[in-house]
Amino acid sequence: MIKTVIAISVLLTTLFQWNGYSQSAQKPNIIVILVDDMGYADVGFNGCKDIPTPNIDRIAKNGVKFTNGYVTFSVCGPSRAGLLTGRYPQRFGYERNPQYRPHDPNMGLPKSESTLAESLKKVGYTSGIIGKWHQGADISNHPLNRGFDQFFGHLGGGHRYFSEELTIQDSYAVDNDEGMSYQTWILKNHEPVQTKKYLTDEFSDEAVRFVERHQKKPFFLYLAYNAPHGPLQATTEYLDRFPNILDKKRKTYAAMVSAVDDGVGRLLDRLESLQLDKNTLVYFLSDNGGPEKDNASDNGLLREGKSSIYEGGYRVPFAMQWKGTVKPGVYENPISSLDIFATISALSKSPVKKDKPLDGVNMIPFITGKNKSLPHETIYLRMFDKKGYSVRCKDLKFVLKNDGVPQLYNLKEDIGEVNDIAKLYPKEVNKLDNIRKKWDSQLIDPIFESLKMSKK
């Protein structure tokens, strides 16, 4: 009798696992690796030749490369807000980079919005952020007060990389000075700590430790590197890897990307050694396009870069893996960073506020081929201060700048947005402009003043 019960139990367990209903499969671990200001063409899986990224490429090789992956804004703060909330940041007035004001509770992510970490907490996840926050420096907006359980990083929009240059112990002693905020000690939860290594290496090491600490229960790791955002700083170890790059700026940028790639490799290796890789979704993307003139990044054929309403501003290197569940391949239809929250919520069954509906979709049915339709009929961008809009609808892209003259491009035939075909297709222009107006009516004006960089 006992043997029969055991046999039935084993059989049922096997059947449930085979059908994808095991507890671990219902609640996979989540890792989102977000880099800062990386060019679209600066990863191997998008054709980069002078900067090897073998570990970042592993994610695309083991999973899916998205050729049309977008973020919600073409600068850091709003883009990250969109990822963390699963909603267009223009809906809640987050359309500017926040200033570094540690005593202003309204400067940053509005309290009316819920984060992915807050949602996952309600279904038993432990959430950690490592690296760049940039969602408000006031204590009320500290990551631990926005759903995260652990924090190892900096509050502002960027940071210096060499430990000897981090000379300000108290992050809250700096007020409205972005330049000085780059020099603060790293916060471990609420406590300032003095780091010893190159900052990218510190963040990578902490990411590995986080996975080791939380390997037995569902976790969400938001590994938000500030690299390769300026200042351009790299160690000799990484610089020496690029003797053939003669341009000093490009060489330093390459070294910074290589440091990130090393860290990604260590993290992936640890997932494998702990046998967590098949129950962990790993995303990789940049928060916006590369500012080519500032950091020598390369957006390839895409027009312009960071801060732009053209493709180079918000179409980014984007890949994900979920070994054993998602087969390797390339996905060509437009997807968005908004889809990360929606996908994770669907898989984990984490709650979403009914009055704050997500703008993304669960991308798994689309990339596995179960859903043949488009994840998004439209991809939007509004830049309030520039009076600029972009609306991508299937292959057509409508652009409206502050001169009020509409532009139209066929991205399938003209990825570089070179040939404006607006005059040839007035009906399409009018249709897309009406779509823009309808979306615009759902948005609000920015709720805080924009960041102004210090000259220090």
Side-chain angles (χ1 to χ4, degrees):
M1 181 67 179
I2 294 175
K3 290 183 178 179
T4 303
V5 172
I6 291 173
I8 292 173
S9 177
V10 171
L11 177 61
L12 288 173
T13 299
T14 303
L15 286 171
F16 282 137
Q17 290 178 341
W18 185 81
N19 282 292
Y21 291 113
S22 68
Q23 183 177 4
S24 61
Q26 286 182 36
K27 292 186 179 181
N29 303 312
I30 312 295
I31 297 178
V32 176
I33 304 170
L34 185 71
V35 292
D36 200 339
D37 286 5
M38 176 180 278
Y40 182 83
D42 285 327
V43 288
F45 69 78
N46 277 348
C48 186
K49 301 298 184 183
D50 61 342
I51 309 176
T53 56
N55 295 300
I56 294 170
D57 296 344
R58 281 165 65 184
I59 299 172
K61 183 179 180 180
N62 292 329
V64 180
K65 176 180 82 170
F66 300 105
T67 58
N68 287 271
Y70 291 87
V71 290
T72 58
F73 210 77
S74 59
V75 299
C76 313
S79 173
R80 290 164 188 255
L83 188 156
L84 285 169
T85 63
R87 289 162 47 80
Y88 277 107
Q90 296 92 337
R91 292 193 185 281
F92 45 90
Y94 199 141
E95 209 165 343
R96 293 167 174 161
N97 265 335
Q99 300 176 43
Y100 192 89
R101 288 187 179 178
H103 308 296
D104 184 351
N106 298 314
M107 179 63 69
L109 186 64
K111 309 301 187 298
S112 60
E113 299 300 314
S114 296
T115 69
L116 177 55
E118 289 172 310
S119 178
L120 288 173
K121 185 186 289 287
K122 295 177 181 177
V123 290
Y125 277 73
T126 298
S127 297
I129 168 176
I130 297 169
K132 171 176 170 174
W133 176 232
H134 207 201
Q135 297 300 301
D138 184 79
I139 191 67
S140 64
N141 257 336
H142 187 283
L144 268 59
N145 292 321
R146 300 310 303 263
F148 288 93
D149 301 292
Q150 295 172 25
F151 174 49
F152 184 82
H154 56 88
L155 298 172
H159 227 65
R160 293 187 168 273
Y161 294 85
F162 297 133
S163 57
E164 61 270 22
E165 295 185 12
L166 307 186
T167 57
I168 301 173
Q169 181 174 350
D170 185 1
S171 296
Y172 299 99
V174 178
D175 196 2
N176 200 22
D177 193 322
E178 187 75 7
M180 288 186 67
S181 76
Y182 279 40
Q183 302 171 52
T184 60
W185 285 18
I186 295 304
L187 286 175
K188 186 174 184 179
N189 296 329
H190 292 291
E191 181 180 351
V193 294
Q194 200 165 18
T195 51
K196 296 179 180 180
K197 293 183 178 182
Y198 180 64
L199 191 58
T200 301
D201 294 338
E202 291 275 8
F203 291 156
S204 299
D205 289 349
E206 183 61 24
V208 172
R209 288 192 290 266
F210 178 89
V211 168
E212 291 171 342
R213 289 195 302 268
H214 303 290
Q215 58 183 286
K216 295 184 179 180
K217 293 183 179 180
F219 64 77
F220 164 44
L221 172 59
Y222 176 40
L223 177 52
Y225 286 109
N226 59 306
H229 188 289
L232 293 177
Q233 296 180 319
T235 63
T236 301
E237 173 193 358
Y238 294 118
L239 288 166
D240 286 348
R241 295 179 180 180
F242 300 96
N244 295 325
I245 298 181
L246 302 180
D247 179 80
K248 184 177 180 181
K249 186 180 286 189
R250 178 69 176 175
K251 182 173 185 173
T252 306
Y253 173 85
M256 296 170 77
V257 170
S258 192
V260 169
D261 188 72
D262 274 16
V264 171
R266 294 202 300 276
L267 181 58
L268 295 178
D269 288 345
R270 196 66 181 116
L271 287 175
E272 292 177 4
S273 66
L274 293 172
Q275 297 183 333
L276 295 174
D277 51 319
K278 289 186 178 180
N279 194 40
T280 303
L281 275 81
V282 181
Y283 289 93
F284 177 88
L285 70 161
S286 180
D287 63 350
N288 48 249
E292 294 178 323
K293 293 181 180 179
D294 292 338
N295 69 355
S297 54
D298 181 10
N299 294 315
L301 296 175
L302 304 184
R303 182 172 175 177
E304 297 187 4
K306 181 179 181 179
S307 301
S308 172
I309 58 175
Y310 293 105
E311 293 290 288
Y314 65 119
R315 184 168 170 174
V316 298
F318 204 139
M320 67 86 70
Q321 72 172 47
W322 190 9
K323 288 184 178 180
T325 299
V326 174
K327 294 180 180 180
V330 177
Y331 191 75
E332 301 282 357
N333 292 326
I335 57 99
S336 170
S337 59
L338 295 165
D339 301 331
I340 293 176
F341 193 139
T343 301
I344 295 170
S345 180
L347 295 172
S348 65
K349 297 180 173 55
S350 69
V352 176
K353 290 184 177 179
K354 292 183 179 180
D355 63 336
K356 304 287 183 181
L358 301 180
D359 286 311
V361 299
N362 176 7
M363 63 174 70
I364 301 301
F366 294 94
I367 60 180
T368 58
K370 291 182 179 180
N371 190 330
K372 304 293 185 182
S373 63
L374 292 175
H376 298 277
E377 285 283 339
T378 49
I379 297 286
Y380 300 100
L381 176 66
R382 184 184 80 172
M383 301 192 76
F384 182 89
D385 292 330
K386 292 187 173 184
K387 297 181 180 179
Y389 296 85
S390 292
V391 178
R392 174 172 180 168
C393 184
K394 298 181 180 178
D395 290 328
L396 291 180
K397 167 95 172 277
F398 171 89
V399 174
L400 187 66
K401 301 172 74 173
N402 59 3
D403 61 7
V405 180
Q407 302 171 26
L408 187 68
Y409 302 95
N410 186 328
L411 294 179
K412 188 174 183 178
E413 300 174 357
D414 180 21
I415 190 175
E417 297 171 282
V418 174
N419 301 309
D420 180 4
I421 57 175
K423 292 182 179 179
L424 300 177
Y425 299 97
K427 290 183 178 179
E428 293 296 333
V429 169
N430 187 59
K431 175 184 174 182
L432 291 177
D433 194 25
N434 286 333
I435 291 174
R436 174 194 70 83
K437 290 175 181 176
K438 183 178 179 180
W439 182 67
D440 192 50
S441 69
Q442 303 168 20
L443 314 180
I444 66 172
D445 291 354
I447 60 173
F448 53 73
E449 292 300 315
S450 184
L451 178 155
K452 297 178 178 63
M453 283 294 295
S454 168
K455 295 182 180 180
K456 292 185 179 180

